[in-house]
Amino acid sequence: QVRLVESGGGLVQPGGSLRLSCAASGFTFSLYGMNWYRQAPGKERVLVAGITSDGGSTNYVDSVKDRFTISRDNAKNTIYLQMNSLKPEDTAVYYCNARRYIDFWGKGTLVTVSS
């Protein structure tokens, strides 16, 4: 059974940091590209960051470049999203995605940036 379980969300003040984790099981993790998406209230789900199966290449949406860092540990079947200098507009549900020929999704973790 495929599972992607996100954790690490919560309430943080503007300028603060959070680290999201996504623990994967039920598939060959090291063969899949992994992504973080987010969906703000009333908006579509959008890609935030991605990392290749071997971790050798990453990509980011412009709005989070130089603030967010995606990484993976293939020995632990886990990906991470380090989020620094958080802004209110980063408030969203963050979803973990595994992609090769098909997509797997987690249920999401809520990040709220507010004073």
Side-chain angles (χ1 to χ4, degrees):
Q1 180 183 0
V2 171
R3 293 190 72 198
L4 293 172
V5 181
E6 301 95 337
S7 60
L11 174 64
V12 63
Q13 292 187 342
S17 298
L18 282 176
R19 189 194 196 203
L20 306 183
S21 299
C22 172
S25 61
F27 62 100
T28 308
F29 179 78
S30 62
L31 296 181
Y32 281 69
M34 298 297 296
N35 305 288
W36 286 100
Y37 281 74
R38 69 185 180 188
Q39 186 167 18
K43 296 189 176 180
E44 294 184 351
R45 191 175 299 187
V46 296
L47 177 66
V48 175
I51 188 167
T52 53
S53 58
D54 64 356
S57 181
T58 58
N59 64 277
Y60 300 90
V61 67
D62 284 348
S63 60
V64 308
K65 282 180 181 177
D66 300 323
R67 299 191 298 122
F68 289 11
T69 303
I70 187 172
S71 61
R72 67 188 294 160
D73 185 338
N74 282 356
K76 295 182 178 180
N77 285 6
T78 301
I79 65 166
Y80 306 95
L81 186 68
Q82 178 66 45
M83 304 186 295
N84 299 328
S85 302
L86 283 160
K87 304 175 180 180
E89 51 264 43
D90 295 318
T91 295
V93 178
Y94 284 72
Y95 295 92
C96 176
N97 164 261
R99 176 169 296 144
R100 194 180 181 202
Y101 302 113
I102 58 174
D103 282 326
F104 301 132
W105 292 92
K107 295 183 178 181
T109 186
L110 177 63
V111 172
T112 303
V113 185
S114 175
S115 55

